[in-house]
Amino acid sequence: MFKKYDAYKDSGIDWIGKIPASWDVKRLKAPLAERNEKNDPIKTDFILSLTMHQGVIPQSEKTGGGNKPKEDLTAYKLARPNDIVLNSMNVIVGSVGLSKYFGVVSPVYYMLYARDGAHTNIGYYNYIFQSQAFQKNLGRLGTGILIKKSETSGKLNTIRMKISMDDLNNELLPIPSFFEQNQIVEFLNQKTSEIDQAIAIKEQQIALLNERKQIVIQKAVTQGLNPNVAMKDSSVEWIGQIPEHWKIVTKLKFISSLKGRQGWQGLKADEYIDEGPFVVSSAHFDGLNIEWHKCPHVSKERYEMDAHIQLKVGDILLMKDGAKMGKLAFVSNLPDLACLNSHLLLIRSLKKADKYFFDAKYMLYFMLSGKFQDYVQVKGTGTTFMGISQESIGNFPLALPSFEEQIEIASFLDQKLSEFDCGKELLLSQIEKLKEYKTTLINDAVTGKIKVA
């Protein structure tokens, strides 16, 4: 439990509320000034990037894509060590950080520095910008729409909102003494570092769980459940060794129906309606499940155009191109009629003498294994947009145990993966609570709700 200050007063500002009686309230432009230095003539070619989780980093260390740097570096602004760098388009969602570098940044960024460096701890004001209460408060200044509901999926999308420097300059901030600023920064540096380390450990534990989950799947679908079973060479490179009693070595196209929507068949987004058969795309995958409430709908006539892509319980759906090529979903339930959108492949077992070649759940787990996923990546073609052909998927070689053993393996994996998922959910819940605690700690410290000295 943290201490409180002896006396408080009303700050007169909604997002702050009460502050310690000894603190002041001033406009942002009192302690901070904008650094608006152009890189013209060029003073440096060291490009910096601002990320939501890492703050200000060299562009070369950025992962996950984003805008490419401009070739004309004279269009950039300079950022110096101890500048608060914030994205004028995304500051309301926490796109802000304290720079350790001298470099250049996007023209849409603002740089703030302490007017009186000897009596201002810039780190304190950086933490104010990290406060979600302050970020939410800034939302009223943005030009544009913050949240917009998608007409097709129903998802809430964040829209970039620009905040002017003039508006930022006039924002009121809580101002403790220089001594207290130093104490708050020292306290938050230590506490947020401890929280971040705890989160990193739990994320590593999740990664280890995912690795272990993959190992269990791979072993079960390629070797069966008996660790003492005799093995034999399948004579197929992609398959390797298999249990001696497994007889069927074949290609996927000989035992399954592989169907996809050909060129959308003229289907356009403006044909989507509020009711009717569902249209499923990879955007509606949630793990291996389908988020039916987010799927758009089409007319019954559209649904009936192609019986091959009408979904049934037990169907496996594979994303055959794009950044998430190889991603899978399983049709475990059908709330209504449903069909496939483009970019997906429907996989369903064929029959021989009224007997299915494979259990759908077993095949789903096989396709989650490293053997199949590696095959997808190797056989994928394209430069900027990777994709794997239906023919390549059909030519995947595999060995199958008996149908009864497939069911046994699938049942085993259902249980084991449920245990893994429970462990993962617990870790994710703990991470969320740590993040919430970090958010509360920052807000309470910078507004004086707690006394950290």
Side-chain angles (χ1 to χ4, degrees), residues 318 325-326 371-380 388 393:
L318 170 75
M325 182 177 67
K371 279 188 179 291
F372 183 80
Q373 290 295 319
D374 288 347
Y375 177 88
V376 170
Q377 298 306 316
V378 169
K379 295 296 183 179
I388 183 168
I393 294 292

Side-chain angles (χ1 to χ4, degrees), residues 156-170:
L156 296 178
N157 299 316
T158 301
I159 308 300
R160 291 156 71 91
M161 297 178 66
K162 184 176 177 64
I163 295 179
S164 73
M165 194 63 232
D166 286 342
D167 285 337
L168 271 181
N169 273 329
N170 286 308

Side-chain angles (χ1 to χ4, degrees), residues 433-446:
K433 288 178 181 177
L434 283 168
K435 289 180 177 178
E436 290 173 1
Y437 178 58
K438 179 179 175 180
T439 296
T440 300
L441 209 57
I442 290 173
N443 187 68
D444 287 353
V446 299

Side-chain angles (χ1 to χ4, degrees), residues 136-157:
K136 185 177 180 180
N137 163 68
L138 292 177
R140 74 188 201 287
L141 303 177
T143 56
I145 302 173
L146 176 59
I147 300 294
K148 185 176 181 180
K149 188 173 183 179
S150 169
E151 294 179 0
T152 57
S153 69
K155 293 178 66 175
L156 296 178
N157 299 316

Side-chain angles (χ1 to χ4, degrees), residues 136-268:
K136 185 177 180 180
N137 163 68
L138 292 177
R140 74 188 201 287
L141 303 177
T143 56
I145 302 173
L146 176 59
I147 300 294
K148 185 176 181 180
K149 188 173 183 179
S150 169
E151 294 179 0
T152 57
S153 69
K155 293 178 66 175
L156 296 178
N157 299 316
T158 301
I159 308 300
R160 291 156 71 91
M161 297 178 66
K162 184 176 177 64
I163 295 179
S164 73
M165 194 63 232
D166 286 342
D167 285 337
L168 271 181
N169 273 329
N170 286 308
E171 279 303 289
L172 292 168
L173 305 179
I175 312 289
S177 68
F178 180 53
F179 174 74
E180 288 171 299
Q181 290 177 36
N182 291 335
Q183 288 182 313
I184 291 169
V185 170
E186 183 179 353
F187 168 81
L188 288 177
N189 283 348
Q190 178 184 341
K191 290 296 183 181
T192 58
S193 177
E194 291 172 355
I195 293 170
D196 289 342
Q197 288 175 18
I199 290 173
I201 289 171
K202 294 187 183 299
E203 288 174 339
Q204 289 171 2
Q205 291 172 336
I206 289 175
L208 290 172
L209 271 179
N210 288 336
E211 288 178 16
R212 178 61 184 157
K213 178 178 176 179
Q214 197 62 37
I215 291 170
V216 169
I217 292 173
Q218 176 89 0
K219 188 172 182 180
V221 299
T222 59
Q223 299 178 28
L225 302 181
N226 182 0
N228 301 315
V229 70
M231 304 292 286
K232 66 179 180 181
D233 186 8
S234 67
S235 301
V236 180
E237 181 183 357
W238 275 101
I239 300 176
Q241 293 229 317
I242 58 173
E244 197 172 48
H245 64 283
W246 288 16
K247 303 296 184 183
I248 302 176
V249 176
T250 186
K251 291 183 178 180
L252 190 59
K253 64 184 177 183
F254 297 135
I255 60 173
S256 64
S257 168
L258 304 169
K259 299 296 180 181
R261 182 181 287 277
Q262 300 300 316
W264 284 60
Q265 295 169 327
L267 179 65
K268 297 179 182 179

